[in-house]
Amino acid sequence: DAGVIQSPRHEVTEMGQEVTLRCKPISGHDYLFWYRQTMMRGLELLIYFNNNVPIDDSGMPEDRFSAKMPNASFSTLKIQPSEPRDSAVYFCASSFLGGELKKLFFGSGTQLSVL
Amino acid sequence: RKEVEQDPGPFNVPEGATVAFNCTYSNSASQSFFWYRQDCRKEPKLLMSVYSSGNEDGRFTAQLNRASQYISLLIRDSKLSDSATYLCVVSGNTGKLIFGQGTTLQVKP
């Protein structure tokens, strides 16, 4: 099992540029989450999907952020235009809502640096 | 007030010590509770779920107090390899999981 796959692992870009982060969840999982982690704010939930449908995007910081899940095996998080304060590690995670246990499987994360 | 609150630490303890972490949550409708572990520059990984009756996994014991909206994690006989950040996680019935800020543990030889 390949686990949750994120790309790229590292992204360095200049302020104002568009950034696209990609995620492939574990096959068969029906939930997908995007989190952002910084030293100051910890792990923040940005948005999550259930069966490819966005359920809660209240954590998306502002209109510069958008996320899509066109099918069960792929999701993107886009920042346009990027700003230095967007620098963080962005994690994608997937899970299967079965029974009472919801275990999250995280990807390795994308380290984003906006200069 | 944050939905899930933890003491960030760091907790510095010698090998063999017993250490306890606490976590409080604000949503009384929360249904599922977990402890995750995160090593430096790595992704979080599930350590254990937390059940109402309390549960144990080797040296780790988790407790839940719904009345006080409080979760705890006890680590006995600490090992150097236990050094990490421990994240308290709370979920409702919608599938949304909220993470605490994390508590950092450093076990010294």
Side-chain angles (χ1 to χ4, degrees), chain B residues 74-94:
Chain B
L74 183 78
I75 305 175
R76 291 182 300 278
D77 188 24
S78 300
K79 311 290 185 191
L80 295 176
S81 57
D82 293 334
S83 298
T85 296
Y86 292 83
L87 301 159
C88 174
V89 186
V90 173
S91 172
N93 61 354
T94 61

Side-chain angles (χ1 to χ4, degrees), chain B residues 4-86:
Chain B
V4 180
E5 295 205 60
Q6 295 182 248
D7 179 348
F11 284 61
N12 294 302
V13 303
E15 268 187 295
T18 295
V19 61
F21 307 136
N22 301 321
C23 168
T24 56
Y25 60 96
S26 60
N27 186 351
S28 59
S30 299
Q31 296 188 350
S32 301
F33 309 89
F34 309 91
W35 283 100
Y36 276 68
R37 170 188 169 134
Q38 186 173 24
D39 293 294
C40 189
R41 300 184 184 280
K42 297 285 189 180
E43 71 273 21
K45 293 183 179 179
L46 179 67
L47 177 66
M48 59 195 301
S49 302
V50 186
Y51 301 118
S52 297
S53 55
N55 49 297
E56 194 172 298
D57 182 3
R59 297 181 293 109
F60 298 81
T61 300
Q63 297 274 358
L64 169 64
N65 184 322
R66 286 188 183 271
S68 301
Q69 294 180 207
Y70 169 99
I71 305 159
S72 66
L73 177 68
L74 183 78
I75 305 175
R76 291 182 300 278
D77 188 24
S78 300
K79 311 290 185 191
L80 295 176
S81 57
D82 293 334
S83 298
T85 296
Y86 292 83

Side-chain angles (χ1 to χ4, degrees), chain A residues 1 11 13 17 21 26 34 47 50 53 80 89 106 113:
Chain A
D1 190 347
E11 176 82 29
T13 191
Q17 296 299 306
L21 311 181
I26 292 173
W34 283 101
I47 185 172
N50 178 218
V53 176
Q80 167 61 22
V89 180
F106 281 83
S113 298

